[in-house]
Amino acid sequence: ADWTIVRCSWFNQNFSEGFFAEGVAAGEVVLPATSVPEPFVDVEDIADVAAKALSEDGHVGQVYELTGSRMLTFEEAVGEIAAATGREIRYLPVSIEEYAAAAREHGVPEEVIEFLRYLFGEVLDGRNASLTDGVQRALGRAPRDFSEYAREAAAAGVWNDVARVG
C-alpha cells in the first residue's frame, strides 16, 4: 500500500478551538506546562499538507514532521495572544498534581485526567523541542507563524466572550 505520514504535536488552535480557549477568553491560562518550548503548528498547515499528499503525486513514502516556524513556551504563546488581543492574559504554571486535582473537582472523567497527565508529563518532556522542514518540503512555503494565527484569531473575536468558547 502507498503511504504518507503526517505528524505533529501541539496546535495553535488549541488556544482558540481547543481546551485552552476558555482560559484565554477568561484572561488566565492555568497549565502544568514547564518552560520547555514547543513548535506549535497551525492546523491550516496540517490540512494543506494532507490535501497535497492526497491529491498530488510525489508524496508517497514521505514522512512529514510538521512544526511551526519557531519554538515557543506555553507562557510565550499566551503572551503573544495577549499582545494580539490587547488584553491582559495571565499564564499560571501549576504542577501536574494540582492540575489533575482541579480537573477532578470540576468533574473531568478520570480517563481524561490520565490523558492530560500523559500529555503534560510525557509528551511535553522536550522530545518535540525542535523545528522541522515538513511544511516547507510538502508545500514549498514556510509554516504559518504563531503571531499571524494569534492576530487573525483575535481579529475574528474568538476570545471576546467566555460564553462562546469551548
Side-chain angles (χ1 to χ4, degrees):
D2 293 337
W3 57 266
T4 304
I5 297 173
V6 176
R7 60 182 169 205
C8 45
S9 185
W10 296 94
F11 313 135
N12 297 352
Q13 283 75 8
N14 288 136
F15 292 96
S16 57
E17 301 170 28
F19 64 100
F20 309 146
E22 188 173 346
V24 172
E28 182 175 75
V29 177
V30 180
L31 292 172
T34 65
S35 60
V36 172
E38 280 291 313
F40 294 98
V41 65
D42 198 282
V43 296
E44 291 181 21
D45 286 340
I46 300 166
D48 289 347
V49 170
K52 281 248 189 201
L54 291 169
S55 64
E56 295 180 3
D57 292 336
H59 300 280
V60 172
Q62 294 293 313
V63 176
Y64 294 120
E65 300 276 355
L66 306 183
T67 67
S69 59
R70 61 194 166 105
M71 305 290 292
L72 294 167
T73 64
F74 278 79
E75 184 173 19
E76 290 167 337
V78 170
E80 291 210 15
I81 293 167
T85 62
R87 295 178 35 233
E88 181 180 338
I89 303 170
R90 287 180 6 132
Y91 174 76
L92 180 63
V94 296
S95 72
I96 190 71
E97 292 79 19
E98 291 171 302
Y99 193 75
R104 204 170 280 111
E105 286 176 18
H106 285 92
V108 174
E110 206 56 42
E111 60 273 8
V112 174
I113 293 171
E114 286 309 309
F115 176 67
L116 293 171
R117 282 180 172 278
Y118 166 73
L119 279 178
F120 288 102
E122 293 184 40
V123 174
L124 194 60
D125 65 356
R127 73 180 73 192
N128 298 316
S130 63
L131 299 175
T132 66
D133 66 350
V135 172
Q136 181 68 45
R137 283 190 308 112
L139 302 177
R141 65 164 174 81
R144 186 172 180 218
D145 189 71
F146 190 90
S147 62
E148 180 184 347
Y149 149 76
R151 283 191 307 272
E152 287 180 11
V158 298
W159 297 301
N160 291 348
D161 184 1
V162 176
R164 287 189 355 216
V165 178

